[in-house]
Amino acid sequence: MKNEASLILHVVPMQEEHAELICGWKYAPPYNIYSWLPWEQMKALEVEFGDAHLRQQQYAIILDQHDQVYGFAQYFPLQHVTRIGLGMRPDLCGQGLGKAFVTAIVQEAIRRNPSNEIDLEVLTWNTRAIQVYLKSGFVIQDTYERQTPDGLKPFHCMVYEGPRE
């Protein structure tokens, strides 16, 4: 297990090689729903970070002090809100690194739009992620169903309220 206290993460713009790398990540069930289409398909369809303009505007990579990729973030602009989406490299999940990872992403959201509220959506069954978000200063504000590729699913909307000790 890595030591979260010594972990220094920074956020940089996502490049095409990062996007291609992320498309190769495979998560174990039930988290495999977070896996992406193959890179060539994402690029051909111009979906999410397969769209060069969207990738430049909304996506970022999270690196450690040795420039190792830890994951990615999406900063989706809504009116007076920055909605974040994020994904950690599969082999790093469950190792106690989540709070440092989420904190780096939140700090970048604040840097980009300091007056915006910050929120995220998480499937209600994803208790591992929910615990990390709670420890990182988010609270559950709402629960609702929304359409996914697998049909209607229940989500929590969590809002950032500030750091927790």
Side-chain angles (χ1 to χ4, degrees):
M1 183 182 279
K2 298 181 187 273
N3 181 353
E4 188 174 38
S6 66
L7 188 59
I8 300 167
L9 297 175
H10 59 283
V11 180
V12 300
M14 182 185 284
Q15 304 300 321
E16 188 168 328
E17 59 268 20
H18 298 130
E20 186 172 1
L21 176 74
I22 291 165
C23 286
W25 291 353
K26 299 298 175 222
Y27 296 92
Y31 305 101
N32 56 330
I33 65 160
Y34 297 116
S35 298
W36 295 94
L37 294 170
W39 173 238
E40 292 304 322
Q41 198 173 351
M42 294 272 293
K43 212 162 68 164
L45 295 170
E46 295 185 326
V47 293
E48 297 297 337
F49 49 75
D51 175 327
H53 180 71
L54 192 63
R55 182 172 62 245
Q56 177 189 16
Q57 295 297 310
Q58 295 184 15
Y59 283 93
I61 287 292
I62 292 72
L63 304 172
D64 71 4
Q65 60 268 40
H66 308 293
D67 287 336
Q68 294 296 307
V69 173
Y70 266 60
F72 71 91
Q74 180 183 22
Y75 298 94
F76 186 80
L78 300 169
Q79 190 167 354
H80 308 297
V81 176
T82 300
R83 174 152 297 158
I84 58 174
L86 55 116
M88 183 179 269
R89 201 173 80 208
D91 62 310
L92 297 175
C93 293
Q95 294 190 30
L97 304 171
K99 185 176 177 190
F101 181 70
V102 172
T103 298
I105 292 166
V106 166
Q107 291 307 310
E108 176 65 11
I110 292 167
R111 187 194 70 74
R112 288 176 178 224
N113 287 294
S115 63
N116 275 9
E117 180 175 86
I118 299 166
D119 75 7
L120 57 80
E121 292 179 313
V122 59
L123 285 157
T124 58
W125 61 259
N126 193 345
T127 54
R128 183 172 74 180
I130 292 165
Q131 288 307 309
V132 168
Y133 302 147
L134 290 169
K135 288 179 190 172
S136 301
F138 285 83
V139 296
I140 296 171
Q141 184 179 64
D142 196 10
T143 303
Y144 46 82
E145 287 191 334
R146 81 173 176 80
Q147 197 62 42
T148 73
D150 295 329
L152 277 178
K153 299 289 181 193
F155 283 81
H156 292 310
C157 179
M158 299 184 74
V159 175
Y160 183 70
E161 288 195 341
R164 298 264 192 305
E165 291 304 316

